[in-house]
């Protein structure tokens, strides 16, 4: 069964193209490590909630846009192997894929406010196009 990594990020709206460029370069690493699909979604209708919402979850400022992203893996085993590879790169940066080098591909957002997690699908409806 597939496995999903999900992300919510606050990106300065002025950095939209920088984010797209960063994502294209970094997301290709996920594909090379076995992901079947990566989707990056720029906030379009992200409403304020009464108690909580996407904007509050990442402490988005007025000049920031919320990005919702996910990485689809064929299974958790493939995802865990990819994450282990990336962990190894952090411990041994000389072996790291240059696309993941923060000097060459800096994050155009505050990574400390990124929310992420791994999810096991329990219901799927519709075509997986």
């Amino acid at each position: 069964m597939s496995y999903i990594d999900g992300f919510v990020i606050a990106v300065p709206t002025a950095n939209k193209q920088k984010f797209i460029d960063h994502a294209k370069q970094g997301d290709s690493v996920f594909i090379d490590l076995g992901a079947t699909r990566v989707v990056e979604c720029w906030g379009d209708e992200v409403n304020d909630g009464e108690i909580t919402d996407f904007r509050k979850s990442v402490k988005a400022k007025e000049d920031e846009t919320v990005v919702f992203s996910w990485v689809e893996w064929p299974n958790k085993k493939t995802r865990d192997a990819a994450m282990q590879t990336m962990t190894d790169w952090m411990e041994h940066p000389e072996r790291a894929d240059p696309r993941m080098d923060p000097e060459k591909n800096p994050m155009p957002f505050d990574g400390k406010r990124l929310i992420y997690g791994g999810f096991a699908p329990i219901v799927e409806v519709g075509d997986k196009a």
Side-chain angles (χ1 to χ4, degrees):
M1 177 171 265
S2 64
Y3 195 81
I4 309 295
D5 281 314
F7 307 86
V8 180
I9 314 163
V11 178
T13 303
N15 287 353
K16 183 176 182 180
Q17 189 58 52
K18 287 180 184 177
F19 177 80
I20 292 168
D21 296 341
H22 170 81
K24 283 181 178 180
Q25 189 170 11
D27 292 350
S28 65
V29 174
F30 292 121
I31 296 297
D32 289 349
L33 292 175
T36 57
R37 184 174 177 217
V38 181
V39 179
E40 306 280 0
C41 303
W42 192 257
D44 182 49
E45 290 185 25
V46 182
N47 299 317
D48 294 335
E50 288 185 36
I51 298 172
T52 191
D53 56 47
F54 279 109
R55 294 190 63 77
K56 288 180 184 116
S57 73
V58 290
K59 297 184 179 182
K61 300 170 186 157
E62 285 297 317
D63 63 343
E64 293 179 320
T65 299
V66 174
V67 172
F68 175 63
S69 308
W70 67 91
V71 180
E72 295 179 19
W73 302 94
N75 51 57
K76 189 169 189 310
K77 182 179 177 183
T78 302
R79 181 269 198 173
D80 288 350
M83 292 303 150
Q84 184 58 56
T85 297
M86 288 190 262
T87 298
D88 291 346
W89 289 344
M90 286 188 281
E91 293 171 4
H92 303 283
E94 70 281 1
R95 297 192 306 229
D97 188 304
R99 295 171 291 179
M100 299 300 282
D101 184 342
E103 298 284 323
K104 295 177 182 156
N105 189 17
M107 290 189 296
F109 54 86
D110 180 0
K112 293 178 182 169
R113 290 187 286 142
L114 175 140
I115 296 173
Y116 62 93
F119 300 86
I122 56 172
V123 175
E124 276 188 51
V125 178
D127 184 20
K128 285 187 74 174

